[in-house]
Short mmCIF file of all heavy atoms in Angstrom, two decimals:
data_model
loop_
_atom_site.label_atom_id
_atom_site.label_comp_id
_atom_site.label_asym_id
_atom_site.label_seq_id
_atom_site.Cartn_x
_atom_site.Cartn_y
_atom_site.Cartn_z
N ARG H 704 -38.11 -15.83 31.71
CA ARG H 704 -37.42 -14.55 31.87
C ARG H 704 -37.31 -14.21 33.35
O ARG H 704 -38.20 -14.54 34.14
CB ARG H 704 -38.17 -13.42 31.17
CG ARG H 704 -38.32 -13.54 29.68
CD ARG H 704 -39.11 -12.35 29.14
NE ARG H 704 -39.23 -12.34 27.70
CZ ARG H 704 -40.17 -13.00 27.03
NH1 ARG H 704 -41.07 -13.71 27.69
NH2 ARG H 704 -40.23 -12.94 25.72
N TYR H 705 -36.24 -13.52 33.68
CA TYR H 705 -36.09 -12.99 35.05
C TYR H 705 -35.51 -11.58 34.97
O TYR H 705 -34.53 -11.34 34.26
CB TYR H 705 -35.18 -13.87 35.89
CG TYR H 705 -34.99 -13.32 37.30
CD1 TYR H 705 -35.97 -13.53 38.26
CD2 TYR H 705 -33.87 -12.58 37.64
CE1 TYR H 705 -35.82 -13.01 39.54
CE2 TYR H 705 -33.71 -12.06 38.91
CZ TYR H 705 -34.70 -12.28 39.85
OH TYR H 705 -34.56 -11.75 41.12
N GLN H 706 -36.12 -10.66 35.66
CA GLN H 706 -35.63 -9.29 35.79
C GLN H 706 -35.42 -9.00 37.26
O GLN H 706 -36.35 -9.08 38.06
CB GLN H 706 -36.63 -8.29 35.20
CG GLN H 706 -36.28 -6.83 35.44
CD GLN H 706 -34.99 -6.42 34.76
OE1 GLN H 706 -34.85 -6.55 33.56
NE2 GLN H 706 -34.04 -5.91 35.53
N SER H 707 -34.19 -8.68 37.62
CA SER H 707 -33.88 -8.44 39.03
C SER H 707 -34.49 -7.13 39.50
O SER H 707 -34.84 -6.25 38.71
CB SER H 707 -32.37 -8.40 39.24
OG SER H 707 -31.84 -7.18 38.74
N GLY H 708 -34.58 -6.97 40.81
CA GLY H 708 -34.94 -5.68 41.35
C GLY H 708 -33.75 -4.75 41.33
O GLY H 708 -32.60 -5.16 41.16
N TYR H 709 -34.00 -3.46 41.49
CA TYR H 709 -32.91 -2.50 41.48
C TYR H 709 -33.32 -1.24 42.24
O TYR H 709 -34.51 -0.96 42.43
CB TYR H 709 -32.49 -2.14 40.05
CG TYR H 709 -33.62 -1.61 39.19
CD1 TYR H 709 -33.89 -0.25 39.10
CD2 TYR H 709 -34.40 -2.49 38.45
CE1 TYR H 709 -34.92 0.22 38.31
CE2 TYR H 709 -35.44 -2.03 37.65
CZ TYR H 709 -35.70 -0.67 37.58
OH TYR H 709 -36.73 -0.21 36.81
N GLU H 710 -32.31 -0.51 42.68
CA GLU H 710 -32.53 0.70 43.45
C GLU H 710 -32.80 1.87 42.51
O GLU H 710 -32.23 1.97 41.42
CB GLU H 710 -31.30 1.00 44.31
CG GLU H 710 -31.51 2.14 45.30
CD GLU H 710 -30.31 2.32 46.22
OE1 GLU H 710 -29.39 1.48 46.17
OE2 GLU H 710 -30.30 3.30 46.98
N THR H 711 -33.70 2.77 42.91
CA THR H 711 -34.00 3.99 42.17
C THR H 711 -33.59 5.20 43.00
O THR H 711 -33.14 5.06 44.14
CB THR H 711 -35.49 4.06 41.81
OG1 THR H 711 -36.24 4.17 43.03
CG2 THR H 711 -35.93 2.81 41.07
N VAL H 712 -33.77 6.40 42.45
CA VAL H 712 -33.33 7.61 43.17
C VAL H 712 -34.07 7.81 44.47
O VAL H 712 -33.56 8.46 45.39
CB VAL H 712 -33.47 8.87 42.28
CG1 VAL H 712 -32.51 8.84 41.13
CG2 VAL H 712 -34.90 9.03 41.80
N GLN H 713 -35.27 7.26 44.61
CA GLN H 713 -36.04 7.46 45.85
C GLN H 713 -36.46 6.16 46.51
O GLN H 713 -37.06 6.20 47.58
CB GLN H 713 -37.29 8.30 45.55
CG GLN H 713 -36.99 9.74 45.18
CD GLN H 713 -38.28 10.51 44.98
OE1 GLN H 713 -39.07 10.20 44.09
NE2 GLN H 713 -38.50 11.54 45.80
N GLY H 714 -36.19 5.03 45.91
CA GLY H 714 -36.65 3.79 46.50
C GLY H 714 -36.11 2.59 45.75
O GLY H 714 -34.91 2.50 45.47
N GLU H 715 -36.99 1.66 45.37
CA GLU H 715 -36.55 0.48 44.66
C GLU H 715 -37.70 -0.10 43.85
O GLU H 715 -38.88 0.16 44.10
CB GLU H 715 -36.02 -0.57 45.63
CG GLU H 715 -37.05 -1.07 46.65
CD GLU H 715 -36.46 -2.06 47.63
OE1 GLU H 715 -35.25 -1.94 47.94
OE2 GLU H 715 -37.20 -2.95 48.07
N THR H 716 -37.32 -0.91 42.84
CA THR H 716 -38.27 -1.63 42.00
C THR H 716 -38.06 -3.12 42.20
O THR H 716 -36.92 -3.59 42.24
CB THR H 716 -38.06 -1.25 40.51
OG1 THR H 716 -38.35 0.14 40.35
CG2 THR H 716 -38.97 -2.07 39.61
N SER H 717 -39.15 -3.87 42.29
CA SER H 717 -39.06 -5.29 42.63
C SER H 717 -38.70 -6.15 41.41
O SER H 717 -38.91 -5.75 40.26
CB SER H 717 -40.39 -5.79 43.20
OG SER H 717 -40.65 -5.16 44.43
N ALA H 718 -38.21 -7.36 41.70
CA ALA H 718 -37.89 -8.33 40.67
C ALA H 718 -39.15 -9.08 40.24
O ALA H 718 -40.17 -9.07 40.93
CB ALA H 718 -36.86 -9.32 41.20
N TYR H 719 -39.06 -9.73 39.07
CA TYR H 719 -40.14 -10.62 38.65
C TYR H 719 -39.59 -11.68 37.70
O TYR H 719 -38.53 -11.52 37.11
CB TYR H 719 -41.29 -9.85 37.97
CG TYR H 719 -40.91 -9.18 36.67
CD1 TYR H 719 -40.90 -9.89 35.46
CD2 TYR H 719 -40.59 -7.83 36.64
CE1 TYR H 719 -40.58 -9.27 34.27
CE2 TYR H 719 -40.27 -7.20 35.46
CZ TYR H 719 -40.26 -7.92 34.26
OH TYR H 719 -39.93 -7.31 33.09
N ALA H 720 -40.31 -12.80 37.59
CA ALA H 720 -39.97 -13.88 36.68
C ALA H 720 -41.23 -14.30 35.93
O ALA H 720 -42.33 -14.27 36.49
CB ALA H 720 -39.39 -15.07 37.44
N THR H 721 -41.09 -14.68 34.65
CA THR H 721 -42.24 -15.07 33.85
C THR H 721 -41.93 -16.31 33.03
O THR H 721 -40.75 -16.63 32.80
CB THR H 721 -42.66 -13.94 32.88
OG1 THR H 721 -41.63 -13.74 31.91
CG2 THR H 721 -42.91 -12.65 33.61
N LEU H 722 -42.98 -16.97 32.55
CA LEU H 722 -42.84 -18.12 31.67
C LEU H 722 -43.89 -18.06 30.58
O LEU H 722 -45.08 -17.89 30.86
CB LEU H 722 -43.00 -19.43 32.46
CG LEU H 722 -42.92 -20.72 31.63
CD1 LEU H 722 -41.53 -20.88 31.01
CD2 LEU H 722 -43.27 -21.94 32.48
N ASP H 723 -43.45 -18.19 29.31
CA ASP H 723 -44.33 -18.28 28.16
C ASP H 723 -44.21 -19.67 27.54
O ASP H 723 -43.12 -20.26 27.55
CB ASP H 723 -43.97 -17.23 27.10
CG ASP H 723 -44.07 -15.81 27.62
OD1 ASP H 723 -44.78 -15.59 28.61
OD2 ASP H 723 -43.43 -14.92 27.03
N ILE H 724 -45.31 -20.18 26.99
CA ILE H 724 -45.32 -21.49 26.34
C ILE H 724 -45.96 -21.37 24.96
O ILE H 724 -46.97 -20.67 24.81
CB ILE H 724 -46.08 -22.54 27.18
CG1 ILE H 724 -45.44 -22.71 28.55
CG2 ILE H 724 -46.15 -23.88 26.47
CD1 ILE H 724 -46.19 -23.66 29.44
N GLY H 725 -45.39 -22.05 23.98
CA GLY H 725 -45.96 -22.06 22.65
C GLY H 725 -45.90 -23.45 22.04
O GLY H 725 -44.93 -24.19 22.21
N VAL H 726 -46.97 -23.86 21.32
CA VAL H 726 -47.04 -25.13 20.62
C VAL H 726 -47.53 -24.87 19.20
O VAL H 726 -48.45 -24.06 18.99
CB VAL H 726 -48.00 -26.13 21.32
CG1 VAL H 726 -48.02 -27.46 20.57
CG2 VAL H 726 -47.60 -26.34 22.77
N ARG H 727 -46.90 -25.56 18.22
CA ARG H 727 -47.29 -25.38 16.82
C ARG H 727 -47.39 -26.73 16.14
O ARG H 727 -46.58 -27.63 16.35
CB ARG H 727 -46.28 -24.50 16.08
CG ARG H 727 -46.60 -24.40 14.58
CD ARG H 727 -45.65 -23.45 13.88
NE ARG H 727 -44.28 -23.86 14.02
CZ ARG H 727 -43.29 -23.02 14.31
NH1 ARG H 727 -43.55 -21.76 14.52
NH2 ARG H 727 -42.06 -23.46 14.41
N LYS H 728 -48.39 -26.84 15.28
CA LYS H 728 -48.57 -28.01 14.44
C LYS H 728 -48.64 -27.56 12.99
O LYS H 728 -49.46 -26.73 12.62
CB LYS H 728 -49.85 -28.75 14.84
CG LYS H 728 -50.34 -29.79 13.82
CD LYS H 728 -49.40 -30.97 13.69
CE LYS H 728 -49.99 -32.02 12.73
NZ LYS H 728 -49.05 -33.12 12.46
#
Side-chain angles (χ1 to χ4, degrees):
R704 297 179 177 85
Y705 179 80
Q706 173 64 57
S707 75
Y709 56 92
E710 188 175 353
T711 65
V712 292
Q713 291 183 298
E715 61 182 32
T716 296
S717 295
Y719 65 83
T721 66
L722 178 64
D723 300 339
I724 299 177
V726 181
R727 175 176 58 224
K728 165 66 176 174

